Amino acid sequence: METTLTGQTFKNYINNEWVNSNSEKTIKSINPANTEEVVGYVQSSTNEDLNKAVEAAHNAKKSWRKAGQAARGQYLYKAANILEENLDEVAETMTREMGKTLPEAKGETARGVAILRYYAAEGMRKEGDVIPSTDKDALMFTKKTPLGVVGVITPWNFPVAIPIWKMAPALVYGNTIVFKPATEGAVTAAKVVECFTKAGLPEGVLNFVTGSGSIVGQSLIDHEKVNAITFTGSETVGSNVAKSSAARGIKFQLEMGGKNPVIVAADADIDKAVEAVISGGLRSTGQKCTASSRVIVEEEIYEEFKEKLIDAVQKITIGDGLQEGVWMGPCASESQFNTVKEYVEKGRAEGASLLYGGEELTDEARAKGFYITPAIFEEVTNDMAIAREEIFGPVIALFKAESLEQAIEAANDTKYGLSASIFTSNITSLLEFVDEIEAGLVRVNAESAGVELQAPFGGMKGSSSGSREQGEAAKEFFTETKTVFVKGV
Ligand code: NAP
Ligand code: MG
């Protein structure tokens, strides 16, 4: 790649050219492990920049649709190879920009490569079905057609995988794109876009505009030439996307927050459950939409589970994610850091008992980063903020349940419904859980955070607009169906 790691300025990409914003202003991206390090600068774009990008995508719409699915797939194979060649550099940029550990960042980038290959292969898969007509002389079939210009708006917590799981299917099914990444992950996003551009996409097919969500993000969702929006992020912004899209009658897709429960039944393998709560709750510093944040334990095993959990959490090594042996990095930004500290305070003030952690780390090695120890609360009631609101940080609330039924009821007592998991060795309990739990991702004897690219991904209730991403589900969102009836003359 042409880019270097520190302090470089990244441009917007519009109509196959890297261009500066007409604002002549940039936004600084800093390393949350060491706030003195500038990872890069991105364009602070204006509505005018955004309009140019939408215009370019609009003008490219017809020829990209006509290029054909098989040809479009070939570009994705190339992008996959380029990303794979640059995996180490992209992953390192991600760690520097948002703090997740290097092994996690490498894993995510490798997933990006796999997603590209999965959708590249879609180029050779079917575009519709033949359906028998009641008229024996007619041919009836369906044909998938693209939506047009798709606005892609993404969060900072998976700055490689989420943009790719949106853009790869959007492209292969024939849509053109205007991509507005989260500002906190925009340098990493620029590196992903570089891989696509080097694959040789035609002019205007993929456009990239960075800048404030409330300026360029809002203009993108309101633009009359944008035909669909795919959004992952917070509920506040998501509801804006829904309102604007509904008013214009365009398709939209929202994936938002979670308050994901883990049930540990009395018959569970306690050691495995502890391991899964640590991994599912605290990897990526708890900043996954599928992170476990409520752990509901049957009372017979509560004390044993708690002791083992506290023992395990104490062993977590916290530091700069680039360093070997570090298991948990800093919070991704100052605002995340402050949010976590505020919720730890709120938990205490509301009467929950802080069993462990929630302390800022200010020793010499960590004084310049947003470091905090994972917080474990008990005696949490379901009306407390730490039980109801998404914190998006390393904070776990423990609950005691008298029965499995009560545990499931507590698990469902939330506006969210993204992922949920249970640890049990009883088949009746697991079947009951699968049936009753209100979550789009249901995990049995596995951590709540786990996604496979070939399967549908998305939440129920307030976590999603009800549509699904990834796997075959992406085709449903990124296309419309034409039902064609043909009769000879
Ligand atoms: P966010 O604040 O909602 O931002 C998401 C994106 O929307 C960013 O690109 C942001 O740009 C942009 N944006 C902000 N205001 C906007 C507006 N008025 N109009 C249009 N776009 C706007 O969320 P975040 O803090 O980046 O991400 C954390 C959230 O994402 C959490 O709630 C988490 O649960 C959720 N998440 C969900 C999933 C899932 O699949 N369900 C996956 C990952 C994360 P700026 O960065 O410039 O503000
Ligand atoms: Mg940063």
Side-chain angles (χ1 to χ4, degrees):
M1 289 207 156
E2 296 138 1
T3 53
T4 55
L5 269 176
T6 304
Q8 190 194 330
T9 298
F10 293 83
K11 297 182 180 184
N12 288 333
Y13 190 73
I14 299 173
N15 217 16
N16 280 17
E17 276 182 60
W18 290 100
V19 288
N20 286 320
S21 162
N22 64 3
S23 73
E24 293 176 11
K25 286 190 193 128
T26 56
I27 304 170
K28 186 159 71 172
S29 175
I30 58 158
N31 182 346
N34 172 8
T35 55
E36 285 173 4
E37 184 192 324
V38 178
V39 183
Y41 297 85
V42 295
Q43 301 299 310
S44 176
S45 305
T46 62
N47 288 338
E48 209 173 302
D49 300 316
L50 191 271
N51 290 343
K52 281 184 195 154
V54 174
E55 209 53 51
H58 176 79
N59 293 337
K61 210 154 94 158
K62 188 168 179 185
S63 55
W64 186 237
R65 170 165 55 81
K66 285 190 172 297
Q69 195 158 305
R72 291 192 297 260
Q74 293 304 317
Y75 290 103
L76 299 190
Y77 279 121
K78 285 186 199 149
N81 293 342
I82 297 163
L83 181 60
E84 194 169 47
E85 282 159 23
N86 292 283
L87 190 144
D88 288 345
E89 195 205 317
V90 172
E92 192 181 323
T93 306
M94 189 191 321
T95 298
R96 285 177 191 250
E97 188 170 36
M98 56 71 68
K100 76 171 67 172
T101 65
L102 191 58
E104 284 184 85
K106 284 185 179 173
E108 181 183 336
T109 311
R111 180 142 63 102
V113 173
I115 295 167
L116 282 163
R117 294 199 172 123
Y118 176 91
Y119 286 107
E122 270 297 284
M124 294 300 210
R125 294 202 190 100
K126 67 173 188 174
E127 286 180 278
D129 294 307
V130 177
I131 299 155
S133 167
T134 50
D135 182 337
K136 68 175 175 43
D137 298 323
L139 169 65
M140 189 162 68
F141 60 94
T142 59
K143 185 174 164 46
K144 293 286 187 190
T145 191
L147 306 174
V149 177
V150 174
V152 173
I153 304 178
T154 56
W156 45 264
N157 66 333
F158 286 96
V160 170
I162 293 179
I164 291 179
W165 85 46
K166 292 178 184 300
M167 295 198 290
L171 290 173
V172 80
Y173 299 126
N175 303 282
T176 59
I177 289 174
V178 176
F179 171 31
K180 144 70 186 117
T183 303
E184 285 293 339
V187 170
T188 311
K191 299 220 164 223
V192 171
V193 170
E194 277 182 11
C195 295
F196 278 97
T197 65
K198 287 180 180 163
L201 287 170
E203 263 178 28
V205 168
L206 172 56
N207 305 277
F208 172 67
V209 182
T210 58
S212 142
S214 55
I215 301 172
V216 281
Q218 190 67 43
S219 303
L220 180 57
I221 64 183
D222 291 336
H223 201 293
E224 58 171 12
K225 285 186 178 163
V226 173
N227 306 106
I229 298 281
T230 174
F231 170 84
T232 299
S234 64
E235 290 162 87
T236 326
V237 180
S239 66
N240 240 352
V241 172
K243 274 184 219 140
S244 175
S245 303
R248 291 198 295 116
I250 64 164
K251 240 178 157 179
F252 63 95
Q253 174 181 62
L254 315 174
E255 289 304 334
M256 300 170 290
K259 193 70 194 170
N260 310 297
V262 180
I263 293 176
V264 187
D267 54 31
D269 180 326
I270 295 178
D271 294 328
K272 283 200 180 132
V274 166
E275 205 180 298
V277 167
I278 295 282
S279 175
L282 303 174
R283 269 194 203 278
S284 287
T285 322
Q287 301 164 132
K288 291 185 185 178
C289 51
T290 50
S292 317
S293 63
R294 297 180 296 139
V295 182
I296 306 158
V297 187
E298 276 200 82
E299 57 190 2
E300 293 99 302
I301 55 152
Y302 182 85
E303 290 303 322
E304 186 185 348
F305 175 85
K306 179 174 105 181
E307 263 169 46
K308 287 185 165 170
L309 184 74
I310 299 299
D311 192 48
V313 84
Q314 285 172 352
K315 295 188 180 126
I316 290 177
T317 46
I318 302 168
D320 183 338
L322 287 180
Q323 277 165 17
E324 222 164 294
V326 165
W327 192 89
M328 193 178 103
C331 295
S333 64
E334 189 168 14
S335 84
Q336 284 302 122
F337 188 45
N338 290 336
T339 304
V340 172
K341 289 190 287 187
E342 277 162 29
Y343 274 106
V344 170
E345 271 323 300
K346 240 185 233 181
R348 277 200 181 114
E350 286 182 317
S353 154
L354 182 63
L355 283 172
Y356 178 82
E359 283 161 3
E360 218 175 310
L361 291 166
T362 52
D363 54 293
E364 208 185 325
R366 294 176 288 200
K368 290 178 191 155
F370 303 128
Y371 295 105
I372 194 158
T373 53
I376 314 284
F377 278 101
E378 70 170 348
E379 284 163 41
V380 184
T381 54
N382 233 354
D383 54 346
M384 294 179 185
I386 58 166
R388 304 212 74 79
E389 295 165 21
E390 184 187 48
I391 301 171
F392 224 54
V395 182
I396 290 173
L398 299 183
F399 300 79
K400 225 181 262 183
E402 285 166 18
S403 63
L404 182 74
E405 200 186 346
Q406 201 191 63
I408 295 177
E409 205 174 294
N412 283 336
D413 182 10
T414 169
K415 64 180 170 179
Y416 295 110
L418 187 51
S419 71
S421 95
I422 189 169
F423 281 79
T424 179
S425 53
N426 182 315
I427 194 159
T428 310
S429 304
L430 82 82
L431 289 174
E432 178 72 4
F433 176 76
V434 170
D435 227 33
E436 291 299 320
I437 195 72
E438 295 160 0
L441 298 165
V442 181
R443 317 257 306 159
V444 177
N445 295 320
E447 66 173 73
S448 67
V451 174
E452 297 209 31
L453 63 99
Q454 70 279 24
F457 173 78
M460 288 168 65
K461 304 199 289 194
S463 291
S464 164
S465 54
S467 47
R468 292 289 179 268
E469 302 195 85
Q470 306 197 63
E472 288 180 22
K475 191 180 201 164
E476 291 313 307
F477 180 73
F478 288 110
T479 63
E480 286 196 280
T481 303
K482 285 181 179 170
T483 303
V484 185
F485 178 89
V486 184
K487 201 166 170 184
V489 281

